[in-house]
């Protein structure tokens, strides 16, 4: 019923996926400037809402806030950074969730935590990092620091197993994050690909990838 878009890079905004929603009533919330892509692909403009950083809107009983990220946008070399990128905060009467999107590390994580936290669950970019682009993707130690800055209760690693953008092994991000989480007593959420995770009080992360290494 609602799709949140973080930015317009191909691995986060897929044209054929968006076109599948043409004949539905699904709403979209995007950062500034991203609606132009969606309308070009057949989504009615009245179904799309654009937000700037720190702006919010409501959907049913949810409050949704576009929050800062340190990244960039553009689907070609001709239109770099002509639209905005963001992270998202989703608040409901039952709890608060943070979704990082793509971001390098900076003070915005602490600012988000102070303004809108604490969070019950934080989805944090935890893979496809490289020494070649330190400003726009989190390295493992920075992902852990971002989690702590956000004042979150549970850590859900994302952005590590779908598209291969970097040169590290597929399992390296999970190994680094899980090692640090065990040292720091950080509760992880690590479902297998496609698995539903029910976050009951007794949920325990499964290190399912280790036998596959």
């Amino acid at each position: 019923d609602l799709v949140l878009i973080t930015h317009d890079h191909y691995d986060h905004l897929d044209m054929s996926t968006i076109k599948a929603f043409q004949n539905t009533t699904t709403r979209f919330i995007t950062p500034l400037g991203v609606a132009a892509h969606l309308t070009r692909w057949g989504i009615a403009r009245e179904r799309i809402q654009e937000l700037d950083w720190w702006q919010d809107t409501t959907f049913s009983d949810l409050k949704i806030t576009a929050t800062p990220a340190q990244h960039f946008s553009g689907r070609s070399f001709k239109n770099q950074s002509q639209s905005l990128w963001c992270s998202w905060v989703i608040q409901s009467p039952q709890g608060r969730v943070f979704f990082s999107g793509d971001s390098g590390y900076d003070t915005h994580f602490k600012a988000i935590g102070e303004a809108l936290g604490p969070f019950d669950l934080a989805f944090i970019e935890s893979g496809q990092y490289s020494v070649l682009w330190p400003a726009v993707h989190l390295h493992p130690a920075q992902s852990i620091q971002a989690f702590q800055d956000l004042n979150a209760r549970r850590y859900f690693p994302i952005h590590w197993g779908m598209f291969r953008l970097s040169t590290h092994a597929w399992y390296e991000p999970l190994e680094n994050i899980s090692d640090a989480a065990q040292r720091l007593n950080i509760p992880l959420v690590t479902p297998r690909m496609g698995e539903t995770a029910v976050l009951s009080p007794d949920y325990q992360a499964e290190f399912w990838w280790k036998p596959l290494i």
Side-chain angles (χ1 to χ4, degrees):
D1 292 327
L2 178 67
V3 177
L4 302 180
I5 304 294
T6 57
H7 60 300
D8 70 358
H9 285 161
Y10 284 87
D11 56 327
H12 293 260
L13 181 62
D14 176 67
M15 180 177 66
S16 61
T17 301
I18 298 300
K19 285 185 173 182
F21 289 94
Q22 284 179 345
N23 298 318
T24 72
T25 59
T26 301
R27 279 183 53 191
F28 292 82
I29 304 178
T30 77
L32 295 176
V34 176
H37 295 298
L38 276 61
T39 56
R40 190 166 62 250
W41 300 334
I43 304 300
R45 185 62 179 86
E46 59 267 22
R47 291 168 51 195
I48 309 166
Q49 184 173 6
E50 293 184 322
L51 297 179
D52 198 354
W53 288 351
W54 300 114
Q55 288 184 329
D56 61 66
T57 188
T58 57
F59 180 83
S60 185
D61 64 347
L62 303 178
K63 179 181 178 182
I64 298 165
T65 306
T67 44
Q70 181 173 284
H71 200 57
F72 64 106
S73 65
R75 294 175 75 84
S76 73
F77 290 113
K78 296 180 180 179
N79 63 355
Q80 292 291 296
S81 297
Q82 293 183 15
S83 61
L84 191 60
W85 50 94
C86 73
S87 54
W88 293 107
V89 170
I90 305 169
Q91 299 167 259
S92 81
Q94 291 76 40
R96 301 184 181 203
V97 172
F98 172 81
F99 187 89
S100 73
D102 282 3
S103 183
Y105 181 77
D106 211 318
T107 57
H108 60 282
F109 289 108
K110 190 170 184 63
I112 294 167
E114 290 175 347
L116 299 173
F119 298 104
D120 299 284
L121 180 65
F123 294 84
I124 298 179
E125 179 198 63
S126 302
Q128 309 314 322
Y129 45 80
S130 171
V131 295
L132 299 177
W133 48 80
V136 294
H137 286 291
L138 295 168
H139 287 245
Q142 295 173 324
S143 296
I144 292 290
Q145 185 61 59
F147 172 83
Q148 295 173 323
D149 290 352
L150 289 163
N151 192 16
R153 189 163 65 89
R154 282 176 164 167
Y155 182 139
F156 195 128
I158 60 170
H159 201 268
W160 61 268
M162 180 64 177
F163 296 97
R164 183 175 182 180
L165 306 176
S166 189
T167 57
H168 58 64
W170 70 269
Y171 54 83
E172 180 183 304
L174 287 179
E175 283 287 275
N176 288 330
I177 294 298
S178 62
D179 287 349
Q182 287 179 296
R183 290 196 309 271
L184 299 170
N185 197 30
I186 294 173
L188 285 181
V189 181
T190 57
R192 295 171 182 265
M193 300 294 187
E195 181 183 22
T196 298
V198 179
L199 300 185
S200 59
D202 59 349
Y203 173 87
Q204 295 292 322
E206 180 186 1
F207 302 148
W208 56 265
W209 61 91
K210 288 186 176 293
L212 305 177
I213 296 175

